[in-house]
mmCIF file of all heavy atoms in Angstrom:
data_model
loop_
_atom_site.group_PDB
_atom_site.id
_atom_site.type_symbol
_atom_site.label_atom_id
_atom_site.label_comp_id
_atom_site.label_asym_id
_atom_site.label_seq_id
_atom_site.Cartn_x
_atom_site.Cartn_y
_atom_site.Cartn_z
ATOM 1 N N LEU A 46 15.621 -13.582 25.955
ATOM 2 C CA LEU A 46 15.767 -12.434 25.054
ATOM 3 C C LEU A 46 16.771 -12.744 23.952
ATOM 4 O O LEU A 46 16.502 -12.513 22.768
ATOM 5 C CB LEU A 46 16.190 -11.190 25.835
ATOM 6 C CG LEU A 46 16.452 -9.943 24.994
ATOM 7 C CD1 LEU A 46 15.182 -9.512 24.262
ATOM 8 C CD2 LEU A 46 16.979 -8.823 25.867
ATOM 9 N N ASN A 47 17.923 -13.276 24.317
ATOM 10 C CA ASN A 47 18.948 -13.592 23.319
ATOM 11 C C ASN A 47 18.449 -14.611 22.305
ATOM 12 O O ASN A 47 18.679 -14.462 21.105
ATOM 13 C CB ASN A 47 20.224 -14.105 23.989
ATOM 14 C CG ASN A 47 20.996 -13.012 24.675
ATOM 15 O OD1 ASN A 47 20.866 -11.840 24.348
ATOM 16 N ND2 ASN A 47 21.799 -13.386 25.663
ATOM 17 N N GLU A 48 17.759 -15.646 22.780
ATOM 18 C CA GLU A 48 17.264 -16.672 21.872
ATOM 19 C C GLU A 48 16.221 -16.104 20.910
ATOM 20 O O GLU A 48 16.207 -16.458 19.731
ATOM 21 C CB GLU A 48 16.686 -17.849 22.651
ATOM 22 C CG GLU A 48 17.760 -18.681 23.316
ATOM 23 C CD GLU A 48 17.218 -19.872 24.085
ATOM 24 O OE1 GLU A 48 15.993 -20.151 24.023
ATOM 25 O OE2 GLU A 48 18.020 -20.544 24.762
ATOM 26 N N VAL A 49 15.366 -15.237 21.409
ATOM 27 C CA VAL A 49 14.321 -14.674 20.549
ATOM 28 C C VAL A 49 14.920 -13.734 19.509
ATOM 29 O O VAL A 49 14.625 -13.848 18.320
ATOM 30 C CB VAL A 49 13.237 -13.955 21.387
ATOM 31 C CG1 VAL A 49 12.279 -13.187 20.489
ATOM 32 C CG2 VAL A 49 12.476 -14.959 22.241
ATOM 33 N N ILE A 50 15.775 -12.812 19.933
ATOM 34 C CA ILE A 50 16.256 -11.819 18.971
ATOM 35 C C ILE A 50 17.282 -12.397 17.987
ATOM 36 O O ILE A 50 17.517 -11.796 16.943
ATOM 37 C CB ILE A 50 16.806 -10.542 19.649
ATOM 38 C CG1 ILE A 50 18.030 -10.828 20.502
ATOM 39 C CG2 ILE A 50 15.715 -9.860 20.445
ATOM 40 C CD1 ILE A 50 18.688 -9.587 21.054
ATOM 41 N N MET A 51 17.849 -13.549 18.304
ATOM 42 C CA MET A 51 18.779 -14.182 17.366
ATOM 43 C C MET A 51 18.072 -15.176 16.451
ATOM 44 O O MET A 51 18.672 -15.685 15.511
ATOM 45 C CB MET A 51 19.915 -14.886 18.126
ATOM 46 C CG MET A 51 20.788 -13.925 18.935
ATOM 47 S SD MET A 51 21.449 -12.555 17.963
ATOM 48 C CE MET A 51 22.566 -13.423 16.900
ATOM 49 N N ASP A 52 16.821 -15.450 16.702
ATOM 50 C CA ASP A 52 16.054 -16.398 15.900
ATOM 51 C C ASP A 52 15.670 -15.760 14.563
ATOM 52 O O ASP A 52 15.338 -14.580 14.495
ATOM 53 C CB ASP A 52 14.793 -16.808 16.674
ATOM 54 C CG ASP A 52 14.066 -17.949 16.006
ATOM 55 O OD1 ASP A 52 13.362 -17.687 15.001
ATOM 56 O OD2 ASP A 52 14.186 -19.082 16.493
ATOM 57 N N ARG A 53 15.689 -16.554 13.514
ATOM 58 C CA ARG A 53 15.350 -16.074 12.176
ATOM 59 C C ARG A 53 13.959 -15.450 12.133
ATOM 60 O O ARG A 53 13.736 -14.462 11.441
ATOM 61 C CB ARG A 53 15.438 -17.222 11.175
ATOM 62 C CG ARG A 53 15.173 -16.820 9.742
ATOM 63 C CD ARG A 53 15.106 -18.013 8.817
ATOM 64 N NE ARG A 53 14.014 -18.918 9.132
ATOM 65 C CZ ARG A 53 12.726 -18.697 8.807
ATOM 66 N NH1 ARG A 53 12.393 -17.611 8.171
ATOM 67 N NH2 ARG A 53 11.801 -19.568 9.129
ATOM 68 N N ARG A 54 13.021 -16.000 12.894
ATOM 69 C CA ARG A 54 11.662 -15.452 12.899
ATOM 70 C C ARG A 54 11.649 -14.010 13.378
ATOM 71 O O ARG A 54 10.864 -13.197 12.912
ATOM 72 C CB ARG A 54 10.736 -16.296 13.774
ATOM 73 C CG ARG A 54 10.478 -17.678 13.209
ATOM 74 C CD ARG A 54 9.758 -18.532 14.204
ATOM 75 N NE ARG A 54 10.690 -18.935 15.250
ATOM 76 C CZ ARG A 54 10.366 -19.729 16.263
ATOM 77 N NH1 ARG A 54 9.132 -20.169 16.386
ATOM 78 N NH2 ARG A 54 11.263 -20.073 17.151
ATOM 79 N N PHE A 55 12.513 -13.671 14.312
ATOM 80 C CA PHE A 55 12.600 -12.289 14.782
ATOM 81 C C PHE A 55 13.298 -11.411 13.753
ATOM 82 O O PHE A 55 12.874 -10.296 13.486
ATOM 83 C CB PHE A 55 13.341 -12.201 16.116
ATOM 84 C CG PHE A 55 13.527 -10.777 16.569
ATOM 85 C CD1 PHE A 55 12.483 -10.088 17.150
ATOM 86 C CD2 PHE A 55 14.725 -10.127 16.378
ATOM 87 C CE1 PHE A 55 12.639 -8.760 17.540
ATOM 88 C CE2 PHE A 55 14.898 -8.813 16.773
ATOM 89 C CZ PHE A 55 13.841 -8.138 17.353
ATOM 90 N N LEU A 56 14.358 -11.925 13.176
ATOM 91 C CA LEU A 56 15.162 -11.130 12.256
ATOM 92 C C LEU A 56 14.387 -10.698 11.017
ATOM 93 O O LEU A 56 14.673 -9.647 10.449
ATOM 94 C CB LEU A 56 16.418 -11.904 11.850
ATOM 95 C CG LEU A 56 17.393 -12.197 12.995
ATOM 96 C CD1 LEU A 56 18.509 -13.106 12.520
ATOM 97 C CD2 LEU A 56 17.945 -10.919 13.595
ATOM 98 N N VAL A 57 13.391 -11.479 10.603
ATOM 99 C CA VAL A 57 12.633 -11.114 9.409
ATOM 100 C C VAL A 57 11.454 -10.198 9.716
ATOM 101 O O VAL A 57 10.830 -9.676 8.813
ATOM 102 C CB VAL A 57 12.131 -12.368 8.636
ATOM 103 C CG1 VAL A 57 13.302 -13.191 8.159
ATOM 104 C CG2 VAL A 57 11.173 -13.185 9.473
ATOM 105 N N ARG A 58 11.148 -9.969 10.990
ATOM 106 C CA ARG A 58 10.044 -9.097 11.379
ATOM 107 C C ARG A 58 10.605 -7.769 11.868
ATOM 108 O O ARG A 58 11.317 -7.718 12.853
ATOM 109 C CB ARG A 58 9.222 -9.723 12.484
ATOM 110 C CG ARG A 58 8.562 -11.024 12.082
ATOM 111 C CD ARG A 58 7.481 -11.367 13.059
ATOM 112 N NE ARG A 58 6.952 -12.693 13.030
ATOM 113 C CZ ARG A 58 6.416 -13.316 12.001
ATOM 114 N NH1 ARG A 58 6.375 -12.755 10.853
ATOM 115 N NH2 ARG A 58 5.931 -14.529 12.108
ATOM 116 N N ASN A 59 10.286 -6.693 11.181
ATOM 117 C CA ASN A 59 10.789 -5.382 11.554
ATOM 118 C C ASN A 59 9.820 -4.602 12.426
ATOM 119 O O ASN A 59 10.123 -3.504 12.856
ATOM 120 C CB ASN A 59 11.113 -4.565 10.299
ATOM 121 C CG ASN A 59 12.256 -5.176 9.526
ATOM 122 O OD1 ASN A 59 13.160 -5.734 10.114
ATOM 123 N ND2 ASN A 59 12.213 -5.090 8.222
ATOM 124 N N SER A 60 8.631 -5.157 12.683
ATOM 125 C CA SER A 60 7.612 -4.395 13.410
ATOM 126 C C SER A 60 7.793 -4.453 14.928
ATOM 127 O O SER A 60 7.184 -3.675 15.646
ATOM 128 C CB SER A 60 6.219 -4.890 13.040
ATOM 129 O OG SER A 60 6.092 -6.259 13.379
#
Side-chain angles (χ1 to χ4, degrees):
L46 177 62
N47 287 337
E48 288 181 6
V49 171
I50 64 173
M51 297 307 292
D52 189 282
R53 183 187 63 78
R54 292 171 286 182
F55 176 78
L56 296 173
V57 298
R58 298 196 194 304
N59 294 326
S60 60

